Amino acid sequence: MKWCQRVTFLACILCVSSGVLAGSDEDYQAGVTSFRDGDVVGAMTPLRAASMAGHAKAQALLAEILDRTDFDEDAIALYRLSAAQEEPDGMFGLGVMLAAGEGAKKDVPTGREWILKAANKGLVLAINVVAQAYLKGELGFGEADRNTQDSLTWIKRAASNEYLPAIDALASAYATGSGLPVEMDRVQAEQYQAQANRIRNIDPNKGKKKQRRI
């Protein structure tokens, strides 16, 4: 896409009312279908039409496509439009780009705020990213942040999404009483370990020899 074409496209979006016009849902669904079928080029035309009509989900998905193809400035502009309508995917995409400094000046605190907003809307990927940030010290979180009830809340929410790093962290913390603000709890540790084994399709009893009878 040429630079002048990109500018014209974004200018059109900015001039259109934020209300979703008739047919934009159909365009969005057509774009989603093409995208899921691997036809990214075919997805862009209906997504562009829906985006210009102010469709927040279409804006977020088109932004994702543009981000993947390194049209960062166009992508972040679309994410901003989507996020302004409180679309979780738009909030998350905007937060990730700001935190990474893609398409705009790097701004980790603001990026984290947008990711948290998406997580509070229930977006699974955002919840998992927040949990990972606490566990790995990303998005500006430090060791002190990890040992808070907020950290534990997000990590447990991610575990409920079956996010393995969160489950492993909880299993270890409850087994040892360290790493997270919890006390040792063998039952909890075993429950989280069993959840991790199930996801990994591991049978802890497989291959164990039978105990000799006395």
Side-chain angles (χ1 to χ4, degrees):
M1 189 184 296
K2 294 181 179 178
W3 181 83
C4 60
Q5 291 175 318
R6 302 205 312 268
V7 171
T8 301
F9 167 53
L10 290 174
C12 287
I13 292 178
L14 290 169
C15 290
V16 173
S17 167
S18 61
V20 178
L21 303 181
S24 60
D25 280 334
E26 289 80 359
D27 286 329
Y28 168 66
Q29 291 300 332
V32 169
T33 299
S34 295
F35 181 72
R36 288 176 176 170
D37 289 343
D39 183 8
V40 175
V41 174
M44 292 184 72
T45 297
L47 288 175
R48 185 181 292 113
S51 294
M52 291 178 68
H55 197 290
K57 288 185 177 295
Q59 290 167 347
L61 181 53
L62 182 56
E64 181 182 341
I65 293 171
L66 292 172
D67 182 23
R68 291 184 182 185
T69 51
D70 293 327
F71 289 103
D72 291 343
E73 292 182 3
D74 293 353
I76 201 166
L78 282 165
Y79 275 137
R80 288 187 191 279
L81 292 172
S82 180
Q85 299 184 67
E86 299 191 354
E87 167 55 42
D89 287 325
M91 293 174 173
F92 178 72
L94 177 58
V96 169
M97 292 196 77
L98 286 173
E102 297 178 352
K105 183 178 179 180
K106 187 172 183 177
D107 187 345
V108 174
T110 302
R112 184 174 74 186
E113 284 182 22
W114 281 111
I115 293 171
L116 282 166
K117 286 180 181 180
N120 279 314
K121 288 276 188 178
L123 186 67
V124 170
L125 183 56
I127 292 169
N128 295 349
V129 166
V130 172
Q132 175 181 285
Y134 274 113
L135 290 170
K136 295 189 175 182
E138 299 171 344
L139 295 178
F141 289 127
E143 185 63 31
D145 296 303
R146 183 172 177 176
N147 290 304
T148 63
Q149 286 302 311
D150 277 347
S151 167
L152 185 61
T153 296
W154 285 111
I155 292 168
K156 284 188 173 183
R157 288 186 67 179
S160 69
N161 295 334
E162 306 218 318
Y163 182 57
L164 270 169
I167 298 167
D168 288 339
L170 288 165
S172 174
Y174 278 112
T176 63
S178 62
L180 291 173
V182 299
E183 296 182 359
M184 287 183 65
D185 186 326
R186 184 170 59 84
V187 173
Q188 290 265 48
E190 290 176 353
Q191 288 176 346
Y192 281 114
Q193 189 59 59
Q195 183 183 7
N197 289 342
R198 175 178 56 76
I199 295 170
R200 291 189 173 100
N201 199 27
I202 295 173
D203 182 353
N205 297 313
K206 189 175 182 180
K208 284 188 176 181
K209 295 181 179 180
K210 290 183 178 180
Q211 295 293 322
R212 291 182 61 185
R213 294 181 180 177
I214 298 175

